[in-house]
Amino acid sequence: MKSKTEDDDNAVRLDKWLWAARFYKTRALAREMIDGGKVHYNGQRGKPSKLMELNAEITLRQGNDAKTIIVLGLTTQRRSAEEAQTLYQETDASIVSREKISAARKMNAMPHPDRRPDKKERRNLIKFKYGDQE
């Protein structure tokens, strides 16, 4: 018969793993992000109760950044950040994409204008800033 810790490590919920891997500060926040469609498990929209597997691909959004990671380890306990980083590996394509988006964001940083934007300019700014969110 397996001990309780072996069973827990083999059957880890998605929301609990995201919390343990330190992507989100609380399990409730992890659950909220999953329910909101910000987390995809193996290319499909995930559920908080989804049981994790090794080598699964998870795509998640944190603010403006989208990360694609591969699961390397399973745990239900939240430990130090160094240990949490051993549970996953971010894909090379994801790193390149995030760096490109970050550089573009820095290049398009707009200086403060001499006057307030008019209605049309405000709408364009809002469309530019929030336009491609899901």
Side-chain angles (χ1 to χ4, degrees):
M1 187 170 148
K2 293 183 181 179
S3 69
K4 182 170 176 26
T5 57
E6 287 176 340
D7 286 339
D8 286 347
D9 286 346
N10 291 333
V12 180
R13 292 169 50 108
L14 179 58
D15 61 343
K16 198 168 199 176
W17 187 85
L18 288 171
W19 167 77
R22 293 183 168 264
F23 286 105
Y24 300 108
K25 198 168 188 171
T26 64
R27 259 184 84 184
L29 184 58
R31 173 185 284 274
E32 218 174 274
M33 293 295 130
I34 295 168
D35 287 338
K38 305 289 188 225
V39 178
H40 288 78
Y41 183 84
N42 284 337
Q44 296 180 346
R45 192 168 168 170
K47 290 185 177 181
S49 62
K50 174 73 176 160
L51 295 180
M52 298 286 294
E53 301 169 345
L54 291 176
N55 298 319
E57 184 178 288
I58 298 176
T59 304
L60 55 99
R61 293 185 62 84
Q62 291 180 308
N64 292 328
D65 295 331
K67 294 181 181 179
T68 302
I69 60 168
I70 305 296
V71 177
L72 301 177
L74 301 174
T75 186
T76 58
Q77 295 182 338
R78 187 174 170 107
R79 296 212 171 113
S80 69
E82 292 81 22
E83 288 181 49
Q85 289 175 351
T86 63
L87 297 176
Y88 63 90
Q89 178 181 6
E90 189 172 2
T91 62
D92 294 334
S94 174
I95 293 170
V96 170
S97 172
R98 279 192 313 114
E99 288 174 353
K100 271 187 191 175
I101 292 170
S102 176
R105 212 176 316 144
K106 287 178 185 175
M107 295 296 288
N108 289 331
M110 296 174 59
H112 293 290
D114 294 333
R115 61 177 177 76
R116 291 177 58 185
D118 61 18
K119 189 172 185 176
K120 184 176 180 181
E121 291 169 340
R122 268 197 319 274
R123 286 182 177 166
N124 288 337
L125 285 171
I126 291 169
K127 190 186 301 182
F128 174 74
K129 190 172 182 181
Y130 300 108
D132 62 342
Q133 288 188 353
E134 296 175 331

